[in-house]
């Protein structure tokens, strides 16, 4: 996760989501510019490779947040090996910029149902925030619940019995389940 402003959130609480599907996109303007700059550097290095390599170059690399992270002054390599290294370095910088750009897209880690959505378009998120998750997704097909049953009702429950489950977070929706275990003794409260 990176810090920034949420600019897209295509899904809402209660909706189904697939693993890898976009759930949030953070403003990636600076990261896109970094990719464009890296692409230009690759093109420039390839053009320089076809030239004599005598021109002086000044390259300033900025990270995705727009701050200058490295200053590399290169006096165009005159040897073929040096020019090939320049091209390879520029291609690696492009690869790194593309990987950084992907960090601005937050995808669902699992297939499931969005239970809680804590952020909306326009909210600022911080890479170090720990107070609450951006979203809670659960695989409702594999959930286990421990349910307390009144002692007067326990006699109506059997292993393998089907049950209907409702959740306050998903009004109007029901889920089916099965009783897989009954405790041998109750708990004192």
């Amino acid at each position: 996760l990176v810090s920034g402003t949420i600019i897209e959130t295509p899904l809402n609480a209660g909706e189904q989501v697939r693993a890898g599907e976009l759930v949030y996109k953070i403003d990636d303007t600076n990261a896109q510019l970094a990719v464009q700059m890296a692409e230009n550097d690759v093109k420039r290095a390839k053009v320089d490779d076809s030239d004599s390599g005598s021109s002086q170059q000044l390259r300033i690399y900025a990270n995705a947040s727009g701050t200058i992270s490295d200053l590399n002054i290169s006096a165009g390599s005159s040897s073929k090996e040096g020019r090939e290294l320049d091209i390879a370095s520029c291609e690696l910088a492009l690869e790194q910029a593309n990987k950084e750009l992907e960090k601005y897209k937050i995808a669902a880690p699992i297939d499931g149902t969005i239970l809680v959505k804590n952020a909306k378009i326009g909210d600022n998120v911080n890479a170090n925030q720990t107070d609450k998750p951006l979203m809670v997704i659960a695989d409702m097909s594999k959930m286990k619940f421990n349910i307390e049953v009144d002692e007067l009702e326990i006699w109506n429950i059997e292993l393998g019995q089907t049950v209907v489950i409702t959740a306050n977070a998903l009004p109007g929706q029901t889920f089916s389940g099965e009783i897989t275990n009954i405790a041998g003794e109750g708990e004192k409260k």
Side-chain angles (χ1 to χ4, degrees):
L1 178 65
V2 294
S3 299
T5 303
I6 295 173
I7 60 169
E8 186 178 340
T9 175
L11 302 170
N12 295 306
E15 291 188 283
Q16 298 293 312
V17 65
R18 309 283 290 154
E21 189 174 352
L22 180 73
V23 292
Y24 286 109
K25 183 175 179 187
I26 298 171
D27 184 8
D28 61 358
T29 304
N30 289 334
Q32 288 181 19
L33 291 173
V35 169
Q36 289 174 348
M37 288 172 55
E39 287 172 344
N40 290 342
D41 284 346
V42 169
K43 290 176 188 173
R44 189 176 297 111
K46 289 180 178 179
V47 167
D48 289 347
D49 184 40
S50 63
D51 290 346
S52 66
S54 62
S55 64
Q56 293 280 331
Q57 290 182 353
L58 173 64
R59 293 189 186 133
I60 301 174
Y61 296 97
N63 65 23
S65 65
T67 59
I68 295 172
S69 60
D70 184 30
L71 180 61
N72 179 15
I73 299 174
S74 169
S77 301
S78 58
S79 71
K80 181 170 177 55
E81 182 179 323
R83 290 188 304 270
E84 288 172 356
L85 287 173
D86 286 345
I87 293 170
S89 294
C90 290
E91 288 172 342
L92 287 173
L94 175 58
E95 183 179 333
Q96 182 179 4
N98 278 316
K99 285 182 180 179
E100 184 69 24
L101 181 62
E102 284 303 308
K103 293 179 183 178
Y104 289 81
K105 296 176 186 173
I106 302 172
I110 61 169
D111 292 347
T113 302
I114 299 170
L115 299 182
V116 179
K117 189 172 175 183
N118 291 318
K120 61 188 180 312
I121 292 175
D123 286 352
N124 288 314
V125 294
N126 184 324
N128 299 320
Q129 78 183 47
T130 58
D131 56 342
K132 61 183 175 181
L134 295 175
M135 182 177 285
V136 177
I137 300 171
D139 181 354
M140 301 300 275
S141 68
K142 300 179 183 176
M143 294 186 74
K144 280 188 168 183
F145 298 95
N146 290 326
I147 309 261
E148 293 182 16
V149 178
D150 187 86
E151 60 190 44
L152 297 175
E153 297 292 328
I154 194 72
W155 304 110
N156 297 323
I157 295 176
E158 300 175 4
L159 284 176
Q161 183 178 2
T162 59
V163 294
V164 176
I165 302 164
T166 60
N168 291 342
L170 303 169
Q173 292 190 23
T174 60
F175 304 92
S176 61
E178 178 182 340
I179 296 175
T180 59
N181 184 32
I182 299 174
E185 66 181 68
E187 294 181 10
K188 291 183 180 181
K189 294 259 173 176

